[in-house]
Amino acid sequence: MKTNPEFIARDIAGELVLVPVGTAAKNYGGLVTCNEVGAFIWKKLEQETTIDELVSAILDEFEIDEATAKADAEEFVGKLKKINAVI
């Protein structure tokens, strides 16, 4: 999976915000504000990646246990899939 090009990441006041454009803007009328881990995941998703690769990258970057890293990755990616921000 990877990011949908119809969602553009913008840094607004120090936070990463995902902005839908084109068809995505018609289907999803909101913005997605990412916390630090969410922004990290989004940047990793710019290249084709898997949940397992995301979890490994999160464990390398943050002081967090594997179960929490996996739960956070699955929850955030699930939300992104629901709005078609990842393909």
Side-chain angles (χ1 to χ4, degrees):
M1 79 192 123
K2 65 179 187 170
T3 58
N4 180 342
E6 290 196 338
F7 280 81
I8 298 172
R10 294 287 184 248
D11 186 322
I12 300 175
E15 290 188 321
L16 184 75
V17 177
L18 306 179
V19 181
V21 296
T23 308
K26 292 178 185 176
N27 296 330
Y28 181 73
L31 303 174
V32 178
T33 303
C34 302
N35 65 17
E36 184 179 5
V37 177
F40 179 81
I41 290 171
W42 181 261
K43 288 177 184 171
K44 290 294 180 186
L45 287 169
E46 289 175 349
Q47 301 294 318
E48 185 74 29
T49 191
T50 66
I51 286 288
D52 289 338
E53 291 168 335
L54 286 175
V55 171
S56 179
I58 292 168
L59 290 171
D60 289 344
E61 185 71 19
F62 300 96
E63 291 184 23
I64 190 171
D65 64 89
E66 186 172 354
T68 302
K70 185 170 183 164
D72 287 354
E74 288 176 343
E75 179 182 357
F76 187 62
V77 169
K79 289 178 181 179
L80 294 176
K81 285 181 177 180
K82 189 172 185 178
I83 63 170
N84 295 315
V86 293
I87 49 177

